Amino acid sequence: MAVLAFETSCDETSVAVVRQGRVLANVISSQIRLHAEYGGVVPELAAREHLRNLLPIAREALREAQVRPDAIEAVAATQGPGLPGALLIGVKAAQAFAYAQRRPFLGIQHHEAHLYSPWICGRPPQADFASFEPNVSLIVSGGHTMLVHVEGELQHRLLGSTVDDAAGECFDKVGKLIGLPYPAGPQIDRLAQEGNAKAYDFPRPMLREPHDDFSFSGLKTSVRYFLRDNSHLLGNPPAVRDLCASVQSAIVEVLVAKTFRAARRLGVSCITASGGVSCNRLLRAQLNATGQSKGFRIRLADLSLCTDNAGMIGILAERKLALCDYASALDEDILPNWSLAGSR
Ligand code: KG4
Ligand code: ZN
């Protein structure tokens, strides 16, 4: 079965072709440069850019996969959550394709696709659901930070999420205070490599609280006050590197500690992580190291699949078709607030 998949929920336009668990093509066009000028994603610009790029990218994906449009057996798109104008482009294009070709359309929940992305591995990427096991999953992106108990394939329960800023948002906002371009997460990761993480002591929010929720806005505020009182540090590159390392270490410590604590409490011995922030080198290293020392199996999304991409949408859609014959109506609306917990 060949599935054509669209992802247009935020600032990446992506189209993938998936067949029998294999990602044959996963073309991604990032709009980062377009939005960098404004310091964040401008929804109207994102929608217009998706509209301009989606069809050329779809043609490129089909060509790369060497699959003809009439060989596509199902079409999937991210239906939510996301920016309304952006979601609309991918969902309506997928529904139009499904209608014209008389194929089923599958609306996919974006975080559910991230949730199963750690089970896609290799070159070319291929789903490895044969080794699936129950896990606690950390989804960390620019817009969301979530802990999820994945009890079985396609059976999951949201344990907790951020009550304010997401981890990626915290990286980006702290980066802005330091004067780094958007998105600052990758830059902080790079600068922190040569910094001293113990140089400055920032709060570890909600680290000791018994629930699985996160909060990162207090950390950002404490960096703001720190820089108000120590603005001279910004002109000193070694101090900036120390600052990046110290902030990164606070964010990562909270993410890692709360993930392992939830897994221990639930008696789960596998931990997975996905989303843009799961590219972070310290986060990956700490998850792997803690997993090894405490006897957990760790599966991190492949670096090429951490940020938004249609490959993970197509893999989940194909799995849903195989396991539960799931399909959505051709006139279903976008669901900009669709939560992983099920509410639409
Ligand atoms: O999943 P994603 O591509 O988009 C959303 O759905 O939000 O995640 C983007 C986020 C941005 O906040 C970016 O700064 C962060 O992921 N990010 C990183 C790294 N790479 C991307 N944060 C920390 N370290 C990184 N290496
Ligand atoms: Zn995402």
Side-chain angles (χ1 to χ4, degrees):
M1 143 135 26
V3 175
L4 180 67
F6 297 93
E7 158 59 44
T8 63
S9 64
C10 189
D11 60 348
E12 261 97 25
T13 315
S14 178
V15 180
V17 180
V18 166
R19 188 167 58 207
Q20 278 149 14
R22 208 177 282 249
V23 182
L24 301 180
N26 189 15
V27 182
I28 304 165
S29 164
S30 171
Q31 305 178 1
I32 281 179
R33 279 181 32 216
L34 175 73
H35 300 288
E37 192 183 331
Y38 305 95
V41 178
V42 184
E44 189 55 37
L45 286 183
R48 267 187 257 165
E49 199 66 5
H50 287 310
L51 188 57
R52 203 183 345 258
N53 291 337
L54 191 66
L55 290 184
I57 289 175
R59 278 190 209 101
E60 190 181 331
L62 287 164
R63 197 170 42 239
E64 198 181 308
Q66 299 188 345
V67 170
R68 286 176 17 180
D70 57 8
I72 293 292
E73 287 149 286
V75 54
T78 301
Q79 194 175 357
L83 302 170
L87 288 169
L88 209 52
I89 309 293
V91 167
K92 293 300 151 189
Q95 288 170 335
F97 185 98
Y99 178 74
Q101 299 283 64
R102 300 185 192 284
R103 298 293 187 218
F105 159 70
L106 290 90
I108 296 293
Q109 208 276 0
H110 181 83
H111 299 131
E112 192 178 359
H114 275 303
L115 196 59
Y116 292 95
S117 65
W119 304 95
I120 312 170
C121 48
R123 292 275 176 281
Q126 182 157 15
D128 177 27
F129 289 117
S131 35
F132 176 87
E133 58 181 313
N135 58 83
V136 161
S137 192
L138 174 69
I139 307 177
V140 266
S141 72
H144 299 268
T145 302
M146 285 182 242
L147 268 180
V148 185
H149 183 195
V150 188
E151 290 153 288
E153 264 193 77
L154 307 185
Q155 287 170 33
H156 39 260
R157 189 167 57 88
L158 184 63
L159 297 169
S161 56
T162 179
V163 297
D164 42 52
D165 289 354
E169 209 170 347
C170 185
F171 271 110
D172 295 340
K173 288 181 175 169
V174 165
K176 200 168 179 179
L177 294 173
I178 301 176
L180 298 173
Y182 172 87
Q187 323 267 354
I188 292 183
D189 184 347
R190 186 175 51 77
L191 291 167
Q193 292 286 101
E194 290 165 34
N196 172 11
K198 295 199 164 64
Y200 309 109
D201 190 18
F202 290 112
R204 270 67 174 152
M206 292 197 176
L207 183 61
R208 312 231 169 272
E209 291 175 33
H211 52 68
D212 296 319
D213 286 334
F214 298 93
S215 162
F216 289 106
S217 78
L219 172 56
K220 171 199 66 191
T221 307
S222 105
V223 176
R224 172 174 292 133
Y225 289 140
F226 175 81
L227 285 175
R228 184 196 60 191
D229 301 337
N230 298 277
S231 57
H232 61 282
L233 293 179
L234 289 180
N236 176 351
V240 168
R241 289 196 287 270
D242 288 349
L243 186 61
C244 288
S246 302
V247 172
Q248 175 178 267
S249 140
I251 298 174
V252 167
E253 187 180 327
V254 174
L255 294 174
V256 172
K258 296 199 83 157
T259 304
F260 279 91
R261 196 183 62 191
R264 258 193 308 272
R265 188 184 74 235
L266 293 161
V268 167
S269 54
C270 176
I271 282 173
T272 71
S274 61
V277 180
S278 71
C279 288
N280 183 271
R281 277 172 278 195
L282 182 69
L283 177 60
R284 294 179 86 86
Q286 298 268 308
L287 287 170
N288 280 326
T290 313
Q292 197 162 32
S293 69
K294 307 235 185 281
F296 289 84
R297 279 175 300 287
I298 307 293
R299 278 192 87 116
L300 309 177
D302 187 273
L303 285 177
S304 66
L305 299 168
C306 287
T307 47
D308 291 347
N309 67 90
M312 64 180 187
I313 305 294
I315 289 287
L316 178 61
E318 196 185 41
R319 199 67 185 153
K320 285 191 165 227
L321 272 172
L323 294 185
C324 55
D325 206 16
Y326 168 85
S328 324
L330 280 188
D331 58 353
E332 259 197 38
D333 242 329
I334 54 165
L335 299 168
N337 300 314
W338 193 2
S339 122
L340 190 63
S343 67
R344 296 180 150 217

